[in-house]
């Protein structure tokens, strides 16, 4: 059975849209982009479309590739102090000459709707309320929507700050038993075969196949690889004997965008 991220997102977005229009709210998201990365353009467009769909004002600040770090820091300061802005998001990756961590951490935590500042990641680690990274939150929301029990053995392949690490914390908060694998893990299949819930977030097309999965497991495929106009996940779905799995595209991706909308909405409510 498919974990239909598009359908779940649609339902959540309809609820958000109704709340926003019914109560005459005006949440605003500002996205900062540096340079003209093709994937970033695609992601920003889908965020713009989703915001406009439900009544969130979307502002896009696009800067030249060679912008100085200090200039960007000043822009972020301004947005931090601008009462009409509820959420600030820096589209990653940034060009190499910019200190990504420094720039992310300049965002005031109350507007950090991507949940990537040290302040919000620290809160996540301690189990305190704060904005959570959208992909990790989207995965938990999707699994809960389908009433999938989380107090099971969860294996996460990938340990990035963006996906794997925050997700491991969210699963721990749900009392899952969590194993995290990475590129140094020897005999990956030994671990993936043990998973009741397997999350794969590596960006390696078809790293996982049916022989590496326990029958009846729940599979969450986060990976996105674009090749000649086609999008592939990290899991080869052929003959998979899973009970549930997320398609690529249409699984985790839409949930990520929807959690961003939800965070902007929550930021607006908290700030007003
Ligand atoms: P990173 O490149 O930052 O991290 C990849 C992780 O996978 C690393 O921890 C790496 O290990 C691990 N890894 C790489 N190769 C292997 C391997 N052969 N075996 C085991 N582990 C491996 O990527 P992200 O976490 O940012 O993203 C991962 C994927 O998810 C990408 O395809 C990205 O496009 C996609 N993505 C999708 C989103 C969505 O909304 N659907 C949102 C965010 C990301 P090590 O740490 O040892 O290097």
């Amino acid at each position: 059975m498919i974990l239909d991220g598009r359908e779940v997102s649609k339902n959540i977005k309809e609820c958000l849209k109704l709340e926003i229009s019914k109560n005459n709210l005006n949440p605003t998201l500002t996205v900062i982009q540096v340079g003209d990365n093709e994937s970033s353009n695609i992601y920003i467009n889908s965020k713009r479309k989703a915001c406009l769909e439900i009544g969130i004002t979307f502002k896009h600040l696009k800067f030249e590739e060679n912008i100085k770090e200090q200039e960007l820091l000043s822009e972020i300061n301004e947005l931090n102090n601008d009462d009409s802005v509820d959420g600030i998001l820096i589209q990653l990756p940034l060009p190499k000459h910019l200190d990504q961590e420094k720039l992310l951490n300049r965002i005031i935590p109350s507007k950090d709707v991507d949940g990537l500042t040290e302040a919000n990641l620290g809160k996540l680690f301690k189990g305190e309320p704060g904005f959570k990274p959208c992909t990790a939150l989207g995965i938990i929301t999707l699994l809960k929507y389908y009433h999938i029990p989380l107090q099971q053995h969860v294996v996460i392949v990938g340990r990035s700050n963006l996906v794997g690490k925050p997700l491991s914390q969210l699963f721990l908060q749900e009392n899952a038993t969590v194993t995290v694998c990475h590129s140094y893990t020897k005999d990956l299949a030994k671990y993936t075969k043990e998973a009741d819930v397997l999350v794969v977030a590596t960006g390696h097309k078809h790293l996982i196949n049916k022989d590496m999965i326990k029958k009846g497991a729940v599979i969450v495929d986060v990976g996105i690889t674009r090749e000649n106009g086609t999008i592939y996940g990290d899991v080869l779905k052929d003959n998979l004997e899973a009970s549930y799995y997320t398609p690529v595209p249409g699984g985790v991706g839409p949930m990520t965008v929807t959690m961003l909308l939800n965070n902007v909405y929550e930021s607006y409510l908290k700030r007003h």
Side-chain angles (χ1 to χ4, degrees), residues 28-39:
T28 298
L29 170 67
T30 298
V31 171
I32 295 174
Q33 181 182 15
V34 181
D36 196 34
N37 179 297
E38 199 189 320
S39 300

Side-chain angles (χ1 to χ4, degrees), residues 16 21 28 32 64-65 85 90 129 139 168 171 175 180 200 202 233:
L16 287 171
S21 66
T28 298
I32 295 174
E64 293 293 329
E65 180 92 21
V85 175
I90 300 177
I139 290 169
S168 68
F171 272 120
N175 299 319
V180 181
V200 192
T202 68

Side-chain angles (χ1 to χ4, degrees), residues 43 135 157-164 181-185 188 200-204 207 221-225 234 252-254 256-257:
Y43 292 133
T135 303
V157 187
R159 57 171 169 179
S160 69
N161 290 336
L162 190 64
V163 185
C181 302
H182 43 77
S183 67
Y184 291 80
T185 302
L188 184 61
V200 192
T202 68
H204 278 246
L207 175 71
D221 188 353
V222 187
I224 298 174
T225 303
D234 288 357
V252 176
T256 299
V257 178

Side-chain angles (χ1 to χ4, degrees), residues 1-3 143 146-148 216-220 240-246:
M1 186 170 166
I2 282 178
L3 297 169
L143 294 173
Y146 284 90
H147 304 290
I148 289 166
V218 175
I219 310 298
V220 178
L240 211 60
E241 291 186 298
S243 58
Y244 291 90
Y245 71 91
T246 60

Side-chain angles (χ1 to χ4, degrees), residues 89-109:
L89 181 151
I90 300 177
Q91 187 66 45
L92 303 177
L94 288 171
K96 293 264 181 298
H97 71 281
L98 298 170
D99 183 339
Q100 179 172 305
E101 289 308 308
K102 189 171 173 185
L103 287 159
L104 282 174
N105 283 311
R106 182 57 65 94
I107 299 173
I108 190 170

Side-chain angles (χ1 to χ4, degrees), residues 19-267:
E19 287 302 314
I20 289 170
S21 66
K22 193 174 72 186
N23 299 305
N24 235 338
L25 312 180
N26 185 21
T28 298
L29 170 67
T30 298
V31 171
I32 295 174
Q33 181 182 15
V34 181
D36 196 34
N37 179 297
E38 199 189 320
S39 300
S40 293
N41 290 337
I42 295 173
Y43 292 133
I44 290 171
N45 272 335
S46 73
K47 286 167 190 164
R48 183 203 315 274
K49 192 166 152 264
C51 279
L52 299 183
E53 216 179 291
I54 70 156
I56 291 179
T57 301
F58 184 89
K59 291 185 179 156
H60 181 193
L61 301 180
K62 193 166 183 174
F63 300 100
E64 293 293 329
E65 180 92 21
N66 60 0
I67 187 173
K68 296 226 162 47
E69 192 170 283
Q70 192 50 48
E71 211 179 313
L72 263 186
L73 287 167
S74 305
E75 290 285 347
I76 297 169
N77 286 344
E78 269 184 40
L79 294 170
N80 283 340
N81 294 324
D82 183 343
D83 259 350
S84 72
V85 175
D86 302 295
I88 305 169
L89 181 151
I90 300 177
Q91 187 66 45
L92 303 177
L94 288 171
K96 293 264 181 298
H97 71 281
L98 298 170
D99 183 339
Q100 179 172 305
E101 289 308 308
K102 189 171 173 185
L103 287 159
L104 282 174
N105 283 311
R106 182 57 65 94
I107 299 173
I108 190 170
S110 60
K111 295 187 181 185
D112 167 31
V113 286
D114 234 359
L116 294 178
T117 57
E118 281 166 8
N120 279 319
L121 288 173
K123 284 180 184 164
L124 171 64
F125 191 81
K126 293 209 270 179
E128 292 173 3
F131 288 119
K132 310 208 167 32
C134 299
T135 303
L137 185 60
I139 290 169
I140 299 287
T141 305
L142 185 63
L143 294 173
K144 283 188 173 175
Y145 192 95
Y146 284 90
H147 304 290
I148 289 166
L150 301 181
Q151 291 178 23
Q152 307 196 68
H153 184 197
V154 176
V155 176
I156 302 172
V157 187
R159 57 171 169 179
S160 69
N161 290 336
L162 190 64
V163 185
K165 278 186 205 155
L167 186 59
S168 68
Q169 293 303 315
L170 285 184
F171 272 120
L172 284 176
Q173 283 168 27
E174 299 294 336
N175 299 319
T177 301
V178 183
T179 300
V180 181
C181 302
H182 43 77
S183 67
Y184 291 80
T185 302
K186 293 194 177 76
D187 193 3
L188 184 61
K190 181 174 106 188
Y191 299 95
T192 57
K193 274 186 198 159
E194 290 288 315
D196 300 311
V197 177
L198 174 65
V199 183
V200 192
T202 68
H204 278 246
K205 175 186 160 189
H206 298 168
L207 175 71
I208 305 290
N209 61 47
K210 65 175 178 50
D211 297 331
M212 301 168 78
I213 290 169
K214 180 164 84 179
K215 194 173 173 189
V218 175
I219 310 298
V220 178
D221 188 353
V222 187
I224 298 174
T225 303
R226 290 174 206 277
E227 264 179 28
N228 305 322
T230 305
I231 296 177
Y232 299 92
D234 288 357
V235 182
L236 179 61
K237 308 289 184 337
D238 296 354
N239 305 318
L240 211 60
E241 291 186 298
S243 58
Y244 291 90
Y245 71 91
T246 60
V248 178
V252 176
M255 293 302 294
T256 299
V257 178
T258 300
M259 292 303 105
L260 172 67
L261 304 179
N262 192 64
N263 282 351
V264 176
Y265 168 74
E266 284 192 0
S267 171

